[in-house]
Amino acid sequence: FLGSRLRPHKVPTKEPIPPTEIVMLYLFAIFCFAAGPVSARQCDVTSLLQTPLVQGSGKKRLRQNAEIQQVQEQNLSARPSFAVLLTTYNEPSRTKMYEKRLNWWLSNTTLPIYVVDSHNSKFAEQLKSIRKFREYHFDQTPILGTPPRGGSTPAEILSMKKAFEVFKDEWAQYDYVVKVTCKYVLPTLTSAFASMSKGNAFIVQSANFNQFSWPGWVGTECLGFDAKRMGQLLEEMEVQDPPLIENKVATLLRDTESYSHQILPRMPIPEAYQIARGDGQKLPALLQSIAA
C-alpha cells in the first residue's frame, strides 16, 4: 500500500556548463587579474577556469578548451603592443643615474627597449650583456647650442624626432612607442597599458592632466605615440604656440577628432629610483603615487 503511493526519487544530475558561461567565467578571471590584488574569496581564478573543464564528455571538454583558448587569443590580440623609448642627455654627471635605470628596465622587463642620447656619450658595455637593446647617440649642440636655445622643450622634441628617424622601420610593428624620461622606472607600465586600446594618437599620464584652462598641461615624463604617426605628431606638436612641451601636447589634445587619446592610471615609482626634477621636487609628489 505504501509502496504504491511512493514516487520514484529522481537523483539530480549536474548539467554541463554552457559555453557562453565558460566565456563569461574566463572574462571574469581576466577582470580579476586586471583589477589588481584581491582575496581568494573575491576571485578564485583557478576554480573558475577549471570548473567547466571537469564536466561533460571528452568532446565537450575539448570544445570548451577550444572556446577558452579562442577568447584568450582574442583578448591578447586586443591589447596594444608597444616599445619603450628612454630619453637621455648622457653628460658625465648623469651617466651613473641613467645606467642604474637602464639596468632596471633591461633586468625587470621584457619590453623592447630603445635609448636615445643627445650628449653623444656611450653607456657601459656591460649593459648589453643583460639583454639586447637599441641605442642612438647624437650631439644636440650643433643644432641647438649650449645651453639649448628655447630650453628643454626643443631638446626633448629633437631627441624624439631623431629617434623616430632612426628606428621608425622597427617601430612600425608596434601599436605605440612610449617615451619615458630615463630618470624614472615604471614597474606597472605593462599592466597599466593593458587597459588601453589600439588606434589612439596619444597615450598620456593621468596626474596633473589639465585641459580645463589655457594652455593646459599634460605631463610628458611618460608619453605614448601612435607608432606609425609619431613623426607627424612630433612635427605638429613642435609648431604649437605655447613654449613648453606640456602645453603643446595639451593644445593638440583639444582637437579630439584628430588627436584621440587615453589616459593611463597612476603608476608608482619605487623609492630607490625617485629623483628630483629641474624644479627640485620629486615626481611622486607631483604626478604619480608613491610606491609602497
Side-chain angles (χ1 to χ4, degrees), residues 116-133:
V116 60
D117 161 49
S118 55
H119 190 265
N120 201 25
S121 298
K122 302 295 184 180
F123 295 105
E125 285 294 317
Q126 65 188 34
L127 289 168
K128 297 178 181 178
S129 66
I130 300 173
R131 67 177 174 93
K132 182 180 178 181
F133 69 98

Side-chain angles (χ1 to χ4, degrees), residues 35-59:
V38 292
S39 68
R41 288 178 179 271
Q42 290 174 303
C43 183
D44 185 352
V45 176
T46 301
S47 62
L48 283 173
L49 294 178
Q50 289 181 346
T51 298
L53 299 180
V54 297
Q55 300 186 27
S57 67
K59 290 183 178 180

Side-chain angles (χ1 to χ4, degrees), residues 125-158:
E125 285 294 317
Q126 65 188 34
L127 289 168
K128 297 178 181 178
S129 66
I130 300 173
R131 67 177 174 93
K132 182 180 178 181
F133 69 98
R134 300 278 278 125
E135 57 187 316
Y136 174 67
H137 301 265
F138 75 99
D139 184 2
Q140 69 180 26
T141 301
I143 303 171
L144 299 176
T146 302
R149 289 185 297 275
S152 62
T153 290
E156 189 169 356
I157 293 176
L158 177 63

Side-chain angles (χ1 to χ4, degrees), residues 38-211:
V38 292
S39 68
R41 288 178 179 271
Q42 290 174 303
C43 183
D44 185 352
V45 176
T46 301
S47 62
L48 283 173
L49 294 178
Q50 289 181 346
T51 298
L53 299 180
V54 297
Q55 300 186 27
S57 67
K59 290 183 178 180
K60 289 180 180 178
R61 285 200 300 272
L62 290 174
R63 185 172 66 250
Q64 291 168 357
N65 280 327
E67 289 167 349
I68 289 176
Q69 185 176 3
Q70 182 180 10
V71 172
Q72 183 179 20
E73 291 173 352
Q74 290 173 348
N75 179 70
L76 291 174
S77 65
R79 294 184 181 183
S81 59
F82 66 97
V84 173
L85 172 65
L86 301 175
T87 56
T88 72
Y89 181 71
N90 191 29
E91 61 182 352
S93 63
R94 300 184 184 188
T95 298
K96 184 176 180 181
M97 179 267 293
Y98 284 142
E99 290 182 348
K100 177 180 177 181
R101 282 141 183 82
L102 183 51
N103 186 302
W104 184 93
W105 282 101
L106 296 172
S107 301
N108 294 278
T109 78
T110 58
L111 295 167
I113 300 297
Y114 293 79
V115 183
V116 60
D117 161 49
S118 55
H119 190 265
N120 201 25
S121 298
K122 302 295 184 180
F123 295 105
E125 285 294 317
Q126 65 188 34
L127 289 168
K128 297 178 181 178
S129 66
I130 300 173
R131 67 177 174 93
K132 182 180 178 181
F133 69 98
R134 300 278 278 125
E135 57 187 316
Y136 174 67
H137 301 265
F138 75 99
D139 184 2
Q140 69 180 26
T141 301
I143 303 171
L144 299 176
T146 302
R149 289 185 297 275
S152 62
T153 290
E156 189 169 356
I157 293 176
L158 177 63
S159 285
M160 290 188 284
K161 289 173 70 175
K162 289 284 190 179
F164 180 77
E165 291 172 6
V166 174
F167 300 126
K168 61 183 177 182
D169 291 339
E170 297 177 33
W171 289 348
Q173 64 184 300
Y174 303 110
D175 296 303
Y176 296 103
V177 174
V178 181
K179 172 263 181 188
V180 179
T181 305
C182 198
K183 293 179 180 179
Y184 310 112
V185 303
L186 299 172
T188 61
L189 177 60
T190 299
S191 58
F193 227 87
S195 62
M196 301 294 101
S197 58
K198 300 178 181 180
N200 293 290
F202 292 99
I203 301 293
V204 299
Q205 61 190 53
S206 57
N208 282 11
F209 179 88
N210 174 21
Q211 284 188 291

Side-chain angles (χ1 to χ4, degrees), residues 179 186 203-210 217-224 262-267 277 283 286-288:
K179 172 263 181 188
L186 299 172
I203 301 293
V204 299
Q205 61 190 53
S206 57
N208 282 11
F209 179 88
N210 174 21
W217 185 275
V218 175
T220 60
E221 286 83 4
C222 177
L223 179 63
Q262 282 184 282
I263 303 174
L264 289 163
R266 289 183 176 238
M267 296 174 289
R277 305 194 321 170
L283 185 64
L286 295 173
L287 297 172
Q288 298 175 316

